[in-house]
Each structure stands twice: as structure tokens, then as C-alpha cells.
Amino acid sequence: MKAAEVRHILDSIGDLFPDAHCELNHKNAFELTIAVLLSAQCTDATVNKVTEDLFQKYKTPLDYVSVPLEELENDIRRIGLFRNKAKHIHNLCLILIEQYGGEVPQAHDLLVTLPGVGRKTANVVVSNAFGVPAIAVDTHVERVAKRLALAGWKDSVLEVEKKLMKVIPREEWTLTHHRLIFFGRYHCKAQNPACQICPLLDVCREGKKRMKTAVIRKDKITAGASKKLEMKKRMG
């Protein structure tokens, strides 16, 4: 894809969501790490409801390891996979205490070694908590990138990340990550994307396909209605 086409995509999404930001509520790197860990296969809205009380009760890694695992599980039971996530949080906090003085490490390669912290989580933490440019690829980012041909349909999450990093200016990585999420979450949805009013319909292969299908369906319905009307006239 040409640089001008990429710029058109970035600017159009930027115009729609100029103030896109991380929607997980947090006050520091530690809370953000916990929130992102909890957000796997769960909506940000649900995570925020849970962490509203969770972050009042637990302030430091020591707080999390000072209670029985069953108690932590109960505190996050509204979150999907809560038992596994509770174990990850407990073990993560132990490591932070034993190896990092209770602080979240800033290096990406150290973050991904923590329990429950994958590449996406690490990218979110380093970019939002420590100001290091990064593109975290979640389901929204992956879907939008593939629909707009910024990545291939069969590309892995890592391949999508690498391709986005290659075509997007480094200083725009973090902001673009947030804007792509907002675009995918509120506009280019998985099931009912707003193709008919999308400023990127001209470069979206998925949108063109959907709109063409919609036109064909409409033509068939119109033709069917006209045929029924003609038959009524003949019978009348």
C-alpha cells in the first residue's frame, strides 16, 4: 500500500476519533497491568466495573498475595476465566515483589515473562504507562487492519503488528493503536459495520463487498415485489 493511501486511512480515522484513548481505568503502571490482564476475552466496560472495587481493596502487589487465592477469585468472578486470571495475578505479584521491588518493569522483554502478560498486554503497558511507542493488536485492531488491507487476511497477530509498524510513523504508533480500537469498537464493528457512512469505503475491501451484496439483495427484493404486484394486476 502506498504511503498516501496509509495517510488517508490514518487521517480519516483520526477525524472520526481524535480523542481516542485507553478506556481501562487505572492510576499507574501496576493497575494498568492488572486491568489489561483481566481484559482478555472480556470487555473494557466489565473490567472497569470490577476494578472500581478491586483497586480500592488492593493497592500494591503485597496486597494481592496477602489474601487467599479464593478471595481474589471471588473479587474478580464477574470476569471471564477468573480462576486462571486470579492465579496469574497472584504469581505476577510474587515475581514483582521478589525480583522488581514491587514495581512493574519498563522493559518489554521483561514484561512478557510475567504470568498472564503476553505481547499485547506488554505493548499496552509500555505505551500507556511508560510512553514507549507501540501498537497492541487486539481483535479490533486486527479486524480493521485486515479489512483496510493494511494486513493480509491470513496474517497472524504478530504479522499484523509488524506490518502496521512498518507503514505507520513510529511517533504515531500509540495514538493509532487507540484510534484503530475506537474505529473497530464503535464504527467498523464485527457484525454490523457502518459501511454506508464510512469515509474509508473507497479503500475497504470488506465494505465494498458488503455494499455490493446489499445492493444485490435490495434489487432482488424490489424485483420480487414488482413481480408480485404484476401478478395481482393480472389476476384482478
Side-chain angles (χ1 to χ4, degrees), residues 119-133:
R119 185 175 183 84
K120 185 199 78 171
T121 299
N123 282 343
V124 172
V125 173
V126 297
S127 60
N128 288 279
F130 302 125
V132 179

Side-chain angles (χ1 to χ4, degrees), residues 45-89:
T46 299
V47 173
N48 286 336
K49 290 178 182 178
V50 171
T51 57
E52 183 176 0
D53 293 327
L54 192 73
F55 291 162
Q56 289 296 319
K57 180 176 181 179
Y58 304 95
K59 302 291 187 180
T60 68
L62 184 59
D63 293 334
Y64 284 95
V65 300
S66 297
V67 300
L69 186 59
E70 293 75 13
E71 183 174 343
L72 178 56
E73 288 178 353
N74 189 61
D75 289 333
I76 64 170
R77 65 181 305 105
R78 285 182 289 172
I79 299 284
L81 306 174
F82 68 91
R83 288 190 177 88
N84 283 335
K85 292 177 180 178
K87 291 179 183 177
H88 286 324
I89 291 173

Side-chain angles (χ1 to χ4, degrees), residues 133-144:
I135 297 178
V137 179
D138 68 353
T139 56
H140 299 298
V141 174
E142 181 180 6
R143 179 175 68 255
V144 171

